[in-house]
Amino acid sequence: KESEKEVVMQTMINLGIWENKNYHFDWEEKIILEETSSPNYWSYVLLPITLFIINKISDGLVEAGIFDNQLVRLGTIPILGVISYFLAAWIIRYYHASLKLQTSKLDEDQCKKLIKALKRRKVYFTFLVNLFRFLTVAAILLFVIGNETIAALFLLISFSVIFMFKFDYQLSKWPDMIEIISQEVGNGK
């Protein structure tokens, strides 16, 4: 279909669901897109499976006494970060590749309402990401100081959530994106 776009991960910003449609913003083209069909979410199943496997591995490592060494626990943290980074990147890349999008047909009034919703949503998403950053620090301290291996599993989850927000929502671009949309609405486009 001519109206559907090929999606590249670095240029697509997920705006979330608004008025029963999922919207995205194409950073290169500077246009709002809406999904024409929902993507296949099977890749999200990989996250709980990975967490289950890592939990079993960490249980085995605890029984073997590997985590009794402070340096091993410290070295585990960047390894979990790298695993989370690639897992989140793979999930979001697959999600973006399965998107079917078309240019949004929002009128000026709807765009103004969307802008207000995006401003509120940015505050909410920023709070959520900062909460997970705080929880990540708490999990690191619990893992390193308290030798709690369940904290390693929570650490992997926290890292994954933070990276998924980074790849899918790209919150650092939201102020500029909202400004671009506002200017387009002001120009009547």
Side-chain angles (χ1 to χ4, degrees), residues 47-166:
L47 185 59
I49 291 171
T50 304
L51 296 176
F52 176 77
I53 291 169
I54 287 177
N55 190 34
K56 291 300 177 190
I57 291 170
S58 68
D59 287 346
L61 294 174
V62 167
E63 287 178 21
I66 299 291
F67 286 132
D68 292 343
N69 185 333
Q70 187 79 10
L71 289 175
V72 171
R73 285 190 300 230
L74 285 171
T76 303
I77 294 168
I79 292 170
L80 290 175
V82 169
I83 290 170
S84 299
Y85 178 88
F86 287 112
L87 180 63
W90 184 82
I91 289 171
I92 298 304
R93 191 170 286 119
Y94 180 81
Y95 166 74
H96 284 183
S98 64
L99 286 173
K100 301 222 183 326
L101 303 169
Q102 67 181 8
T103 303
S104 176
K105 295 171 178 51
L106 295 173
D107 61 32
E108 185 177 335
D109 225 22
Q110 289 174 316
C111 277
K112 288 179 182 177
K113 289 178 184 176
L114 176 63
I115 290 168
K116 287 180 186 176
L118 290 175
K119 288 177 181 177
R120 285 190 305 270
R121 192 170 286 177
K122 182 185 183 321
V123 171
Y124 170 73
F125 285 157
T126 302
F127 170 77
L128 195 61
V129 169
N130 287 333
L131 175 66
F132 271 94
R133 287 179 179 146
F134 173 76
L135 293 173
T136 301
V137 171
I140 288 171
L141 290 174
L142 188 61
F143 182 60
V144 172
I145 297 169
N147 196 12
E148 297 290 331
T149 56
I150 197 70
L153 187 64
F154 186 76
L155 192 56
L156 184 71
I157 294 169
S158 294
F159 278 143
S160 297
V161 168
I162 291 167
F163 288 132
M164 288 172 85
F165 265 95
K166 177 180 174 46

Side-chain angles (χ1 to χ4, degrees), residues 25-40:
F25 185 78
D26 186 327
W27 187 253
E28 283 184 6
E29 301 292 325
K30 310 289 191 234
I31 57 172
I32 299 173
L33 302 167
E34 61 186 54
E35 290 183 12
T36 58
S37 65
S38 296
N40 184 345

